[in-house]
């Protein structure tokens, strides 16, 4: 192990991209991230990638693919652990740079480093456990009549180089070395990341961690590139590159749809895993509202305002039946929002989008403003906002379902539980759906469950949707427009499935079979033999 | 069990569709299948579905969905077994009608009945085994610091109503009650089938079998509809219906792409599993050619001509290195094709498409005709054809990769094994890729394997690709344009995955959890507990 101790110059962003894990200075216009508090541009400038840079990153990824995917899974596990190691080493510098670029608080960012290294280590364990191979063996039946059955074996192989677009709101856990990259690398796919323009320095520092891990582990350098680009051009070119075989994206619906279109228009279309927009309905059942209206309001406004409301799972819609409980909840929630001092959002542009989105929704006929928070004196100020509307109006006006990415929520008043169900029926697909209950509500909750699970990727009881555990059972996904592919998750160990496809091998001699399918099970992995699952 | 004994009138096609499992006579123009031997139209006429019929079938499917998907998996298993039972009962009538409509021989069709009932019974077993639930439990960690971990559990639920488009070439195993329908019903999805125009009577008889099984098993009648339509309109309308949540299709690239487009243009796009086109490269390695050129030629021409060449896995491309072995193979294969008397294809239109496709490829510059078979005196005659071209020309001319659906194949002559690899590099995605070897070829075969598995869903050694086993390890799928989604298979037990998506349940009381996730594991299924797979 030749862990390169990071020297001081390595901890300062230099304005480079990485192509085939080598630092490269682009030749395009230099772009800069901004300090969202002051609005000032930050040093250094990042000259952007040329079309040739994009093509070269993708070609190197393709050239590295076969060597990388045929490494022993334990080697890839070690590689992921080394990335985690170097991320941890760079922790303070990463947190400091991310704080400058995103305005997120230090403690939150430190937590994000832990989450990012945690998910890399989780995938290392997944690689060793081996279920991800999807190994299946149907042994030959030479005596079968009327025709003998040949030996057929199945495993999953990685799709190929993956393009990753990081999210603005998790500069570490959902960005350069975030969940998409970790799961793609685990699957055996090289990764080409387009850096998020809002945190270029953080992206560069993270890229250095993987570069060091590539050196430590002797992995082919083409497994990782980081490209810098302005606007949609670089991203569209990346998705259109013939070597790219899948796309992971987290961001706006508009940007997501543009990438989906680019992927569909290729001569050979590829899957796009785009997480786009969700307003995460929270249903407050009558018993819960009667029992603890103010506690619910406090927990709700805390979840709503967390991180300036910049979570994909932010509770942007609250649905409840009218009555004293709801009145008490509303009064307390409105008070809390009134007293909220606001927060700096991730970028001036995101703050502006948020302002426009809240304006659009507030201006819809029949929407009433219940409370507005304060506005901090920063360049990217976000003002908390609580609106209300009647259930019938929500059903009638699809504009009211548009995500306001930030600390804004719409309280939907319903006549009764049937009305609640009607509103749920009218909703688009969501990442999460939450129900708050008291004991008396259990039967009502049971009746709503089939509806909730059809609308969302995760159903919560008496919890708040912000806070996404990285584990084996997590689903961070859901029906359109929450994501472009509800059959998967972008958080948790199941995310590796997105980058694999099954291949069957018929009548191959044992010596030519890939190790997961050889008779003596050299990887000691779970396999399905003639339909029966065997542990190892 | 109240198995309705089929009476005589029930075994004769009546010209009806089925909506919500009830026989319905359409109101559109009557369309008829044709006898491919004589070209004559067959009785009865099938009046087509109106837009309202399509909408009603989809609405009934949606209305049946929740009741159907929440049946105990064993009930659905019993349901699938009852369908198999009624199909077997109808066997002779089905085979006779299918023979009339498709020109396929009785023995082949009887085999197809067995295959169809076999795959229904396989999915019944899959339902009981229970891995398909994808159950995962991450128990709560109330003591975790800095924050307790909530209880999170995951299972998979069905997507919703599925539209199925049957294939022309498997009037039973890939049609109304074929693999797509069996896997969708197993997953818990209601199915709306568009009948293939070429075998309307067979479709109606098959629909009666499921209708009887619905009665036997007390399933909601909306789980099945069979619609009749002419041209693309009914199909496009079906795919665009908001209740439809996934599509299974087998057919031409043009029709597949039209459905993919319709699905992508919906306000909420849905997955399309389209199997479209594959030419199934077969590589004859030098040792194999030196050892057994004539035996290979005989087996090749037998595989090529089987069922008039109308298999998705037909060996439409043979790639080999020049030399005495290849000359001997070519001479023998050409002789066999010369002596082939031709066969009746499935429809006059398919025969015409085949004629046009072979004409197009034969007329390309640098393609040489090696042999043409005889032409039978039927209305849908297919003439076997063997062409040859140099490897460089194949790489240079994408037209040569167009599928000729029928008994035509293109022999590609290469200078050496590097040239073979170049040709493989130039190929589009395939359902299968086959290598024939002798002992001396094993190292060369090993070197080609990474390339083959990237191009195809199934890699075969010293077998022929026609003949697709229905088992647990089979993959009938592959990269575009073989299919629209290489991450899945349409044959074999893994096909159920296409119609499921994961949902996470956070902090639900045991009494509200779906049975696969309840603490005491009432279904006795394999589950992943905190990342560790447990059998039951």
């Amino acid at each position: 192990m030749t862990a390169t101790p990071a020297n001081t110059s390595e901890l300062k962003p230099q304005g480079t991209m990485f192509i085939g894990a080598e630092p490269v200075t682009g030749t395009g216009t230099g772009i800069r991230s901004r300090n969202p508090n002051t609005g000032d541009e930050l040093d250094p400038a990042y000259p952007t990638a040329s079309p040739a840079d994009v093509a070269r990153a993708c070609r190197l990824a393709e050239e590295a693919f076969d060597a990388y995917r045929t490494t022993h899974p334990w080697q890839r596990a070690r590689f992921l652990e080394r990335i985690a190691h170097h991320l941890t080493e760079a922790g303070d510098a990463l947190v400091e740079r991310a704080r400058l670029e995103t305005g997120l608080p230090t403690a939150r960012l430190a937590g994000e480093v832990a989450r990012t290294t945690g998910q890399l280590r989780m995938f290392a364990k997944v690689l060793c456990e081996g279920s991800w191979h999807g190994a299946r063996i149907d042994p030959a039946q030479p005596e079968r009549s009327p025709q003998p059955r040949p030996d057929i074996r199945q495993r999953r192989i990685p799709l190929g180089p993956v393009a990753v677009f990081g999210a603005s709101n998790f500069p570490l856990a959902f960005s350069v070395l975030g969940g998409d990259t970790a799961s793609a690398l685990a699957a055996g796919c090289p990764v080409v990341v387009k850096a998020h323009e809002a945190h270029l320095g953080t992206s560069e520092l993270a890229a250095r961690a993987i570069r060091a891990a590539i050196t430590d582990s002797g992995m082919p350098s083409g497994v990782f590139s980081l490209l810098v680009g302005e606007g949609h051009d670089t991203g569209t070119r990346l998705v259109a590159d013939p070597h790219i075989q899948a796309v992971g994206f987290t961001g706006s619906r508009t940007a997501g749809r543009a990438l989906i279109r680019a992927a569909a228009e290729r001569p050979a279309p590829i899957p796009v895993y785009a997480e786009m927009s969700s307003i995460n309905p929270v249903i407050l059942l009558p018993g819960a509202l009667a029992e603890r209206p103010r506690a619910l309001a406090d927990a709700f406004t805390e979840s709503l305002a967390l991180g300036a409301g910049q979570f994909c799972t932010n509770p942007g819609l609250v649905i409840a039946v009218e009555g004293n409980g709801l009145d008490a909840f509303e009064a307390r929630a409105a008070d809390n929002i009134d007293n909220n001092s606001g927060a700096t959002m991730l970028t001036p542009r995101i703050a502006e989008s948020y302002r426009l989105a809240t304006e659009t929704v507030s201006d819809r006929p029949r929407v009433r403003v219940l409370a507005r928070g304060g506005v901090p004196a920063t360049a990217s100020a976000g003002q908390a906002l609580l609106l209300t509307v009647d259930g019938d109006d929500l059903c009638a006006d699809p504009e009211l379902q548009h995500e306001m990415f930030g600390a804004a929520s719409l309280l939907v008043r319903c006549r009764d539980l049937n009305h609640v169900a009607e509103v749920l029926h009218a909703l688009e697909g969501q990442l999460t759906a939450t129900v708050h209950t008291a004991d008396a509500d259990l039967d009502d909750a049971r009746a709503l469950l089939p509806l909730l699970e059809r609308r969302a990727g995760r159903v919560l009881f008496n919890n708040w949707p912000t806070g996404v555990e990285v584990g084996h059972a997590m689903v961070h996904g859901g029906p359109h427009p929450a994501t472009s592919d509800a059959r998967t998750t972008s958080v948790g160990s199941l995310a590796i499935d997105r980058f694999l496809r099954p291949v069957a091998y018929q009548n191959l001699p044992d010596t030519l079979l890939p190790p997961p399918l050889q008779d003596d099970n050299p990887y000691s992995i779970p396999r399905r033999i003639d339909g029966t699952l065997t542990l190892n």
Side-chain angles (χ1 to χ4, degrees), chain A:
Chain A
M1 191 53 51
T2 60
T4 333
N7 64 43
T8 317
S9 82
E10 282 196 338
L11 295 178
K12 283 211 175 123
Q14 308 289 325
T16 62
M17 317 185 283
F18 287 81
I19 297 183
E22 290 299 316
V24 169
T25 304
T27 50
T29 326
I31 63 172
R32 290 161 190 270
S33 300
R34 280 168 189 273
N35 179 324
N37 281 296
T38 62
D40 294 343
E41 290 194 325
L42 293 166
D43 281 331
Y46 284 80
T48 53
S50 65
D53 291 329
V54 177
R56 192 160 73 89
C58 297
R59 185 171 48 74
L60 292 175
E62 164 62 29
E63 287 171 11
F65 178 46
D66 276 340
Y68 183 61
R69 73 184 175 101
T70 50
T71 51
H72 193 295
W74 297 5
Q75 284 178 274
R76 293 210 295 287
R78 183 81 189 130
F79 173 43
L80 297 180
E81 280 165 359
R82 291 310 295 172
I83 302 174
H85 165 83
H86 288 289
L87 267 177
T88 307
E89 294 271 295
D92 291 348
L94 268 173
V95 165
E96 177 50 23
R97 179 72 192 187
R99 195 190 57 75
L100 259 183
E101 291 183 329
T102 64
L104 294 171
T106 302
R108 145 75 194 270
L109 289 165
E112 222 183 292
V113 173
R115 181 194 176 105
T116 309
T117 57
Q119 66 197 3
L120 286 159
R121 294 195 173 104
M122 177 189 69
F123 281 113
K125 288 208 192 85
V126 164
L127 280 176
C128 298
E129 191 268 345
S131 290
W132 68 272
H133 291 286
R136 294 172 165 225
I137 298 177
D138 291 348
Q141 295 175 345
E143 314 298 331
R144 191 184 66 174
S145 150
Q147 275 162 343
R149 183 172 87 171
D151 180 283
I152 303 180
R153 302 179 186 222
Q154 180 184 124
R155 64 149 175 176
R156 300 195 298 178
I157 67 169
L159 295 177
V162 171
V164 170
F165 295 79
S168 61
N169 58 342
F170 281 89
L172 297 161
F174 261 91
S175 189
V176 176
L177 298 181
D180 285 341
T181 297
S183 51
L185 287 176
C189 298
V191 167
V192 181
V193 180
K194 176 170 179 286
H196 199 288
E197 296 171 43
H199 52 263
L200 294 165
T202 311
S203 298
E204 183 189 347
L205 294 181
R208 287 203 201 138
I210 182 170
R211 185 186 181 218
I214 286 171
T215 307
D216 288 358
S217 328
M219 289 295 169
S221 59
V223 298
F224 179 79
S225 291
L226 173 73
L227 297 171
V228 171
E230 196 172 16
H232 292 320
D233 276 8
T234 307
T236 310
R237 198 178 299 278
L238 180 56
V239 171
D241 187 281
H243 296 310
I244 296 297
Q245 294 302 317
V247 179
F249 166 87
T250 306
S252 74
R253 197 158 164 173
T254 312
R257 291 191 74 112
L259 294 183
I260 292 166
R261 206 174 312 116
E265 283 167 1
R266 292 165 50 116
I270 55 174
V272 176
Y273 303 104
E275 189 203 307
M276 296 181 290
S277 124
S278 181
I279 53 175
N280 305 298
V282 173
I283 299 126
L284 309 173
L285 287 180
L289 271 181
E291 187 180 278
R292 51 182 199 280
R294 278 162 292 272
L296 283 170
D298 290 348
F300 159 63
T301 48
E302 190 190 332
S303 173
L304 181 66
L306 195 70
Q310 300 164 122
F311 288 100
C312 322
T313 53
N314 202 46
L317 198 69
V318 177
I319 306 165
V321 175
E322 291 174 324
N324 293 341
L326 180 56
D327 293 342
F329 171 89
E330 181 185 300
R332 175 69 160 236
D335 267 0
N336 291 347
I337 296 298
D338 274 334
N339 294 327
N340 183 286
S341 50
T344 297
M345 299 191 74
L346 292 157
T347 67
R349 192 167 150 189
I350 286 174
E352 177 63 9
S353 297
Y354 173 65
R355 204 185 54 73
L356 289 174
T358 53
E359 220 170 73
T360 305
V361 176
S362 309
D363 287 354
R364 299 302 294 174
R366 336 234 350 137
V367 169
R368 251 182 339 111
V369 176
L370 290 173
R372 284 186 197 277
V375 184
T378 69
S380 317
Q383 179 187 34
L385 180 66
L386 186 62
L387 306 170
T388 189
V389 77
D390 182 82
D392 289 337
D393 297 319
L394 187 93
C395 294
D397 185 355
E399 289 283 324
L400 297 181
Q401 290 191 45
H402 279 188
E403 186 182 31
M404 302 175 274
F405 186 72
S409 192
L410 182 57
L411 174 60
V412 182
R413 300 181 77 97
C414 295
R415 288 182 298 279
D416 52 29
L417 284 170
N418 289 332
H419 199 193
V420 169
E422 261 176 61
V423 168
L424 290 174
H425 263 293
L427 292 187
E428 295 183 308
Q430 307 290 339
L431 292 170
T432 68
T434 300
V435 187
H436 286 275
T437 63
D439 288 349
D441 297 316
L442 282 191
D443 285 340
D444 293 332
R446 193 192 311 275
L448 289 177
L449 261 176
L451 199 46
L452 299 176
E453 65 188 2
R454 288 196 64 186
R455 287 289 171 284
R458 179 164 54 118
V459 176
L460 302 89
F461 264 54
N462 297 321
N463 272 192
W464 294 91
T466 41
V468 181
E469 287 290 332
V470 178
H472 301 283
M474 176 49 66
V475 176
H476 190 66
H480 189 275
T483 76
S484 57
D485 192 338
R487 295 164 296 175
T488 64
T489 175
S490 62
V491 175
S493 62
L494 193 71
I496 193 173
D497 280 21
R498 297 177 298 165
F499 303 115
L500 297 166
R501 68 175 179 88
V503 175
Y505 302 84
Q506 182 168 327
N507 198 34
L508 258 65
D510 201 61
T511 155
L512 286 197
L513 280 169
L517 299 179
Q518 288 169 7
D519 282 339
D520 61 356
N521 194 8
Y523 288 173
S524 293
I525 57 172
R527 311 200 286 189
R528 188 170 296 277
I529 313 287
D530 235 342
T532 302
L533 191 57
T534 60
L535 285 185
N536 48 44

